[in-house]
PDB file of all heavy atoms in Angstrom:
ATOM      1  N   GLN K 393     -34.773 -42.459  16.166  1.00  0.00           N
ATOM      2  CA  GLN K 393     -35.903 -41.522  16.016  1.00  0.00           C
ATOM      3  C   GLN K 393     -35.991 -40.963  14.596  1.00  0.00           C
ATOM      4  O   GLN K 393     -36.946 -40.260  14.274  1.00  0.00           O
ATOM      5  CB  GLN K 393     -35.742 -40.340  16.973  1.00  0.00           C
ATOM      6  CG  GLN K 393     -35.923 -40.699  18.435  1.00  0.00           C
ATOM      7  CD  GLN K 393     -35.451 -39.544  19.317  1.00  0.00           C
ATOM      8  OE1 GLN K 393     -35.653 -38.378  18.996  1.00  0.00           O
ATOM      9  NE2 GLN K 393     -34.799 -39.877  20.416  1.00  0.00           N
ATOM     10  N   GLY K 394     -34.979 -41.224  13.797  1.00  0.00           N
ATOM     11  CA  GLY K 394     -34.993 -40.726  12.403  1.00  0.00           C
ATOM     12  C   GLY K 394     -34.701 -39.245  12.304  1.00  0.00           C
ATOM     13  O   GLY K 394     -35.178 -38.558  11.400  1.00  0.00           O
ATOM     14  N   ILE K 395     -33.881 -38.712  13.224  1.00  0.00           N
ATOM     15  CA  ILE K 395     -33.519 -37.288  13.150  1.00  0.00           C
ATOM     16  C   ILE K 395     -32.006 -37.107  13.254  1.00  0.00           C
ATOM     17  O   ILE K 395     -31.284 -38.029  13.677  1.00  0.00           O
ATOM     18  CB  ILE K 395     -34.192 -36.453  14.262  1.00  0.00           C
ATOM     19  CG1 ILE K 395     -33.892 -37.113  15.631  1.00  0.00           C
ATOM     20  CG2 ILE K 395     -35.672 -36.254  14.014  1.00  0.00           C
ATOM     21  CD1 ILE K 395     -34.188 -36.217  16.799  1.00  0.00           C
ATOM     22  N   ILE K 396     -31.563 -35.908  12.907  1.00  0.00           N
ATOM     23  CA  ILE K 396     -30.133 -35.570  13.059  1.00  0.00           C
ATOM     24  C   ILE K 396     -30.060 -34.100  13.496  1.00  0.00           C
ATOM     25  O   ILE K 396     -30.914 -33.278  13.118  1.00  0.00           O
ATOM     26  CB  ILE K 396     -29.360 -35.821  11.727  1.00  0.00           C
ATOM     27  CG1 ILE K 396     -27.847 -35.689  11.942  1.00  0.00           C
ATOM     28  CG2 ILE K 396     -29.819 -34.909  10.614  1.00  0.00           C
ATOM     29  CD1 ILE K 396     -27.012 -36.297  10.812  1.00  0.00           C
ATOM     30  N   ASN K 397     -29.045 -33.816  14.312  1.00  0.00           N
ATOM     31  CA  ASN K 397     -28.903 -32.460  14.838  1.00  0.00           C
ATOM     32  C   ASN K 397     -27.911 -31.699  13.958  1.00  0.00           C
ATOM     33  O   ASN K 397     -26.802 -32.168  13.733  1.00  0.00           O
ATOM     34  CB  ASN K 397     -28.388 -32.563  16.267  1.00  0.00           C
ATOM     35  CG  ASN K 397     -28.455 -31.228  16.960  1.00  0.00           C
ATOM     36  OD1 ASN K 397     -27.714 -30.328  16.607  1.00  0.00           O
ATOM     37  ND2 ASN K 397     -29.342 -31.130  17.931  1.00  0.00           N
ATOM     38  N   LEU K 398     -28.328 -30.536  13.476  1.00  0.00           N
ATOM     39  CA  LEU K 398     -27.448 -29.766  12.562  1.00  0.00           C
ATOM     40  C   LEU K 398     -27.093 -28.429  13.185  1.00  0.00           C
ATOM     41  O   LEU K 398     -27.966 -27.667  13.597  1.00  0.00           O
ATOM     42  CB  LEU K 398     -28.169 -29.549  11.231  1.00  0.00           C
ATOM     43  CG  LEU K 398     -27.315 -28.919  10.142  1.00  0.00           C
ATOM     44  CD1 LEU K 398     -26.232 -29.876   9.666  1.00  0.00           C
ATOM     45  CD2 LEU K 398     -28.197 -28.505   8.956  1.00  0.00           C
ATOM     46  N   LYS K 399     -25.768 -28.165  13.273  1.00  0.00           N
ATOM     47  CA  LYS K 399     -25.321 -26.902  13.851  1.00  0.00           C
ATOM     48  C   LYS K 399     -24.669 -26.033  12.792  1.00  0.00           C
ATOM     49  O   LYS K 399     -23.766 -26.488  12.087  1.00  0.00           O
ATOM     50  CB  LYS K 399     -24.328 -27.182  14.990  1.00  0.00           C
ATOM     51  CG  LYS K 399     -23.894 -25.932  15.725  1.00  0.00           C
ATOM     52  CD  LYS K 399     -23.087 -26.271  16.967  1.00  0.00           C
ATOM     53  CE  LYS K 399     -22.652 -24.989  17.654  1.00  0.00           C
ATOM     54  NZ  LYS K 399     -21.777 -25.233  18.791  1.00  0.00           N
ATOM     55  N   ASP K 400     -25.167 -24.784  12.689  1.00  0.00           N
ATOM     56  CA  ASP K 400     -24.543 -23.800  11.792  1.00  0.00           C
ATOM     57  C   ASP K 400     -23.366 -23.183  12.555  1.00  0.00           C
ATOM     58  O   ASP K 400     -23.572 -22.491  13.561  1.00  0.00           O
ATOM     59  CB  ASP K 400     -25.587 -22.730  11.441  1.00  0.00           C
ATOM     60  CG  ASP K 400     -25.022 -21.677  10.501  1.00  0.00           C
ATOM     61  OD1 ASP K 400     -23.802 -21.436  10.541  1.00  0.00           O
ATOM     62  OD2 ASP K 400     -25.822 -21.098   9.728  1.00  0.00           O
ATOM     63  N   MET K 401     -22.153 -23.463  12.136  1.00  0.00           N
ATOM     64  CA  MET K 401     -20.968 -23.048  12.909  1.00  0.00           C
ATOM     65  C   MET K 401     -20.738 -21.540  12.849  1.00  0.00           C
ATOM     66  O   MET K 401     -19.985 -20.998  13.661  1.00  0.00           O
ATOM     67  CB  MET K 401     -19.711 -23.788  12.426  1.00  0.00           C
ATOM     68  CG  MET K 401     -19.816 -25.288  12.544  1.00  0.00           C
ATOM     69  SD  MET K 401     -20.241 -25.842  14.217  1.00  0.00           S
ATOM     70  CE  MET K 401     -18.625 -25.770  15.000  1.00  0.00           C
ATOM     71  N   ASN K 402     -21.387 -20.901  11.910  1.00  0.00           N
ATOM     72  CA  ASN K 402     -21.239 -19.455  11.793  1.00  0.00           C
ATOM     73  C   ASN K 402     -22.099 -18.735  12.828  1.00  0.00           C
ATOM     74  O   ASN K 402     -21.626 -17.854  13.540  1.00  0.00           O
ATOM     75  CB  ASN K 402     -21.654 -19.047  10.373  1.00  0.00           C
ATOM     76  CG  ASN K 402     -20.975 -17.774   9.956  1.00  0.00           C
ATOM     77  OD1 ASN K 402     -20.024 -17.338  10.622  1.00  0.00           O
ATOM     78  ND2 ASN K 402     -21.464 -17.170   8.878  1.00  0.00           N
ATOM     79  N   THR K 403     -23.383 -19.162  12.933  1.00  0.00           N
ATOM     80  CA  THR K 403     -24.311 -18.478  13.836  1.00  0.00           C
ATOM     81  C   THR K 403     -24.440 -19.195  15.179  1.00  0.00           C
ATOM     82  O   THR K 403     -24.933 -18.631  16.140  1.00  0.00           O
ATOM     83  CB  THR K 403     -25.712 -18.406  13.201  1.00  0.00           C
ATOM     84  OG1 THR K 403     -26.170 -19.762  13.012  1.00  0.00           O
ATOM     85  CG2 THR K 403     -25.683 -17.701  11.856  1.00  0.00           C
ATOM     86  N   GLY K 404     -24.045 -20.447  15.220  1.00  0.00           N
ATOM     87  CA  GLY K 404     -24.209 -21.245  16.444  1.00  0.00           C
ATOM     88  C   GLY K 404     -25.608 -21.849  16.574  1.00  0.00           C
ATOM     89  O   GLY K 404     -25.885 -22.616  17.488  1.00  0.00           O
ATOM     90  N   GLU K 405     -26.479 -21.534  15.621  1.00  0.00           N
ATOM     91  CA  GLU K 405     -27.860 -22.057  15.662  1.00  0.00           C
ATOM     92  C   GLU K 405     -27.899 -23.565  15.463  1.00  0.00           C
ATOM     93  O   GLU K 405     -27.136 -24.093  14.662  1.00  0.00           O
ATOM     94  CB  GLU K 405     -28.659 -21.433  14.515  1.00  0.00           C
ATOM     95  CG  GLU K 405     -29.563 -20.306  14.936  1.00  0.00           C
ATOM     96  CD  GLU K 405     -30.173 -19.634  13.709  1.00  0.00           C
ATOM     97  OE1 GLU K 405     -30.811 -20.361  12.924  1.00  0.00           O
ATOM     98  OE2 GLU K 405     -29.971 -18.416  13.576  1.00  0.00           O
ATOM     99  N   GLN K 406     -28.819 -24.222  16.184  1.00  0.00           N
ATOM    100  CA  GLN K 406     -28.957 -25.680  16.026  1.00  0.00           C
ATOM    101  C   GLN K 406     -30.386 -26.022  15.660  1.00  0.00           C
ATOM    102  O   GLN K 406     -31.309 -25.366  16.101  1.00  0.00           O
ATOM    103  CB  GLN K 406     -28.613 -26.374  17.340  1.00  0.00           C
ATOM    104  CG  GLN K 406     -27.180 -26.158  17.741  1.00  0.00           C
ATOM    105  CD  GLN K 406     -26.762 -27.119  18.848  1.00  0.00           C
ATOM    106  OE1 GLN K 406     -27.185 -28.263  18.845  1.00  0.00           O
ATOM    107  NE2 GLN K 406     -25.955 -26.634  19.766  1.00  0.00           N
ATOM    108  N   GLU K 407     -30.550 -27.050  14.889  1.00  0.00           N
ATOM    109  CA  GLU K 407     -31.918 -27.515  14.592  1.00  0.00           C
ATOM    110  C   GLU K 407     -31.920 -29.021  14.347  1.00  0.00           C
ATOM    111  O   GLU K 407     -30.906 -29.615  14.016  1.00  0.00           O
ATOM    112  CB  GLU K 407     -32.514 -26.762  13.410  1.00  0.00           C
ATOM    113  CG  GLU K 407     -31.642 -26.714  12.185  1.00  0.00           C
ATOM    114  CD  GLU K 407     -32.188 -25.768  11.117  1.00  0.00           C
ATOM    115  OE1 GLU K 407     -33.417 -25.622  10.999  1.00  0.00           O
ATOM    116  OE2 GLU K 407     -31.364 -25.196  10.389  1.00  0.00           O
ATOM    117  N   GLU K 408     -33.091 -29.596  14.560  1.00  0.00           N
ATOM    118  CA  GLU K 408     -33.236 -31.022  14.299  1.00  0.00           C
ATOM    119  C   GLU K 408     -33.862 -31.213  12.929  1.00  0.00           C
ATOM    120  O   GLU K 408     -34.852 -30.580  12.602  1.00  0.00           O
ATOM    121  CB  GLU K 408     -34.124 -31.657  15.370  1.00  0.00           C
ATOM    122  CG  GLU K 408     -33.331 -32.021  16.604  1.00  0.00           C
ATOM    123  CD  GLU K 408     -34.171 -32.714  17.657  1.00  0.00           C
ATOM    124  OE1 GLU K 408     -35.397 -32.856  17.463  1.00  0.00           O
ATOM    125  OE2 GLU K 408     -33.599 -33.108  18.676  1.00  0.00           O
ATOM    126  N   ILE K 409     -33.283 -32.096  12.155  1.00  0.00           N
ATOM    127  CA  ILE K 409     -33.775 -32.316  10.795  1.00  0.00           C
ATOM    128  C   ILE K 409     -34.148 -33.803  10.661  1.00  0.00           C
ATOM    129  O   ILE K 409     -33.451 -34.657  11.210  1.00  0.00           O
ATOM    130  CB  ILE K 409     -32.666 -32.042   9.747  1.00  0.00           C
ATOM    131  CG1 ILE K 409     -31.858 -30.798  10.078  1.00  0.00           C
ATOM    132  CG2 ILE K 409     -33.212 -32.026   8.342  1.00  0.00           C
ATOM    133  CD1 ILE K 409     -32.477 -29.510   9.693  1.00  0.00           C
ATOM    134  N   ALA K 410     -35.193 -34.071   9.925  1.00  0.00           N
ATOM    135  CA  ALA K 410     -35.554 -35.458   9.638  1.00  0.00           C
ATOM    136  C   ALA K 410     -34.436 -36.068   8.801  1.00  0.00           C
ATOM    137  O   ALA K 410     -33.948 -35.432   7.855  1.00  0.00           O
ATOM    138  CB  ALA K 410     -36.879 -35.515   8.888  1.00  0.00           C
ATOM    139  N   LEU K 411     -34.029 -37.295   9.148  1.00  0.00           N
ATOM    140  CA  LEU K 411     -32.896 -37.930   8.462  1.00  0.00           C
ATOM    141  C   LEU K 411     -33.076 -38.007   6.944  1.00  0.00           C
ATOM    142  O   LEU K 411     -32.143 -37.780   6.185  1.00  0.00           O
ATOM    143  CB  LEU K 411     -32.689 -39.344   9.003  1.00  0.00           C
ATOM    144  CG  LEU K 411     -31.699 -39.464  10.158  1.00  0.00           C
ATOM    145  CD1 LEU K 411     -31.572 -40.921  10.572  1.00  0.00           C
ATOM    146  CD2 LEU K 411     -30.339 -38.904   9.783  1.00  0.00           C
ATOM    147  N   ASP K 412     -34.312 -38.302   6.499  1.00  0.00           N
ATOM    148  CA  ASP K 412     -34.495 -38.470   5.047  1.00  0.00           C
ATOM    149  C   ASP K 412     -34.473 -37.131   4.299  1.00  0.00           C
ATOM    150  O   ASP K 412     -34.354 -37.107   3.071  1.00  0.00           O
ATOM    151  CB  ASP K 412     -35.745 -39.291   4.716  1.00  0.00           C
ATOM    152  CG  ASP K 412     -36.974 -38.792   5.455  1.00  0.00           C
ATOM    153  OD1 ASP K 412     -36.881 -37.678   6.039  1.00  0.00           O
ATOM    154  OD2 ASP K 412     -38.005 -39.488   5.462  1.00  0.00           O
ATOM    155  N   ALA K 413     -34.552 -36.008   5.060  1.00  0.00           N
ATOM    156  CA  ALA K 413     -34.481 -34.701   4.382  1.00  0.00           C
ATOM    157  C   ALA K 413     -33.107 -34.050   4.573  1.00  0.00           C
ATOM    158  O   ALA K 413     -32.815 -33.018   3.984  1.00  0.00           O
ATOM    159  CB  ALA K 413     -35.546 -33.777   4.944  1.00  0.00           C
TER     160      ALA K 413
END
Side-chain angles (χ1 to χ4, degrees):
Q393 291 167 38
I395 53 165
I396 189 163
N397 190 292
L398 187 69
K399 185 171 179 185
D400 181 331
M401 300 306 279
N402 206 13
T403 62
E405 259 172 56
Q406 296 194 37
E407 51 189 327
E408 276 183 356
I409 318 279
L411 268 181
D412 49 12

